[in-house]
Amino acid sequence: MNSPLTSEALFHLGPVPITAAIITTWVIMAVLVAGAWGMTRRLTLIPDRRQAALELLVSTLDVQIRETSGVEPTPYRSFIGTLFLFILVANLSSLLPGVEPPTAQMETDAALALLVFVSIIWFGIRGAGVKGYLKSFAAPNVVMIPLNILESLTRTFSMFVRLFGNVMSGVFVIGIVASLAGLLVPIPLMALDLLTGLVQAYIFAILALVFIASTVEEGRASFNSEPDSDSRTSARDGDGDGDGDGDGDREKDKDIAHQTDVPPLTPQPLTPQPLTPQPLTSQQPTSRTSTSQQENS
């Protein structure tokens, strides 16, 4: 087993040395591209089992992106999904006899971390603009600029160290146990290494997503926090004239009072109505005898 700190070149492509990790990376890239082309070649409105399984994977990825970062998954689906699949296949390549995973080499992990670092800048500028992205380093004040720059560098370095240390340690443990105990004993450790490779691919992709989403959100917040000059002037003067003496308010009050004035009442002439005599209806007197008879009855 070769040391992960040193890579032996198989041949040279001009001045560039080509190692076994680079060859394995090329093979993994070719497998992923061919698989993506074959699975998405004939998509229909009524999906078959292959297309249904593919749509299920894409929906699961969208749910993870939305629940983890709370952002719309469309801009980040391709990058995060490709990053996860590459690291997963690279970690699982250790199960093949005679193949060392490229993620157990420093150059591969450093390239992946550098890719995440560049993608953070790219998505940050695309989401908040150059001004908003640069202003995010001055949040909450300009004193934090060196610390924010250092944070953007150290979090990318921590991703590189985490992935390299976990994958390399798993390969070392399996190699040492296989050399001491025989061929069948490391099988449980290989199953554990399979789970470790899946977890490390998931963690790397999720951390990249969180860093990208937080950079975009901070850039947008910094860009939107700048108050408009006209709104500041209006808030200070209160009347839009810029003199600050309240004349505009008084003019507005006069306009309102003028609009709400009640028009004067015009006296209307009174027309006398003729009185029409009403006939009087005579009522017959009621005798006491008839009244008492009605009461008795």
Side-chain angles (χ1 to χ4, degrees), residues 124-159:
I125 294 177
R126 194 178 73 168
V130 178
K131 184 178 180 180
Y133 174 74
L134 295 179
K135 285 190 63 177
S136 64
F137 289 96
N141 50 62
V142 294
V143 181
M144 299 296 295
I145 291 179
L147 294 179
N148 290 331
I149 296 176
L150 183 62
E151 178 190 7
S152 64
L153 296 176
T154 53
R155 65 186 181 186
T156 306
F157 181 75
S158 66
M159 295 177 65

Side-chain angles (χ1 to χ4, degrees), residues 164-273:
F164 171 71
N166 285 279
V167 178
M168 182 265 297
S169 61
V171 173
F172 265 22
V173 169
I174 293 177
I176 293 174
V177 173
S179 62
L180 295 178
L183 183 61
L184 298 179
V185 175
I187 291 180
L189 295 179
M190 294 176 66
L192 180 61
D193 187 60
L194 178 67
L195 178 61
T196 303
L198 176 61
V199 172
Q200 292 304 317
Y202 177 79
I203 291 177
F204 194 93
I206 290 300
L207 287 178
L209 173 63
V210 170
F211 293 156
I212 291 173
S214 63
T215 301
V216 173
E217 185 66 25
E218 290 173 0
R220 290 176 178 175
S222 300
F223 182 79
N224 295 330
S225 63
E226 182 181 2
D228 186 67
S229 59
D230 295 337
S231 61
R232 288 200 303 265
T233 304
S234 300
R236 184 180 66 250
D237 298 337
D239 55 358
D241 295 334
D243 52 2
D245 56 358
D247 292 339
D249 294 337
R250 289 191 291 269
E251 293 295 334
K252 291 180 181 179
D253 293 339
K254 292 180 181 179
D255 294 339
I256 295 174
H258 179 71
Q259 294 175 3
T260 57
D261 284 343
V262 180
L265 296 176
T266 303
Q268 301 294 332
L270 297 178
T271 303
Q273 298 294 333

Side-chain angles (χ1 to χ4, degrees), residues 61-62 65-66 69-83 119-120 122-124 126-128 205 208-217 220:
L61 178 62
D62 289 347
I65 294 176
R66 189 177 291 106
S69 59
V71 298
E72 180 64 27
T74 304
Y76 315 104
R77 182 192 301 130
S78 301
F79 176 73
I80 299 300
T82 304
L83 190 66
S119 67
I120 291 174
W122 164 255
F123 284 108
R126 194 178 73 168
L209 173 63
V210 170
F211 293 156
I212 291 173
S214 63
T215 301
V216 173
E217 185 66 25
R220 290 176 178 175

Side-chain angles (χ1 to χ4, degrees), residues 260-290:
T260 57
D261 284 343
V262 180
L265 296 176
T266 303
Q268 301 294 332
L270 297 178
T271 303
Q273 298 294 333
L275 297 178
T276 303
Q278 299 294 332
L280 296 177
T281 303
S282 59
Q283 296 180 356
Q284 297 295 332
T286 304
S287 61
R288 295 181 180 178
T289 307
S290 59

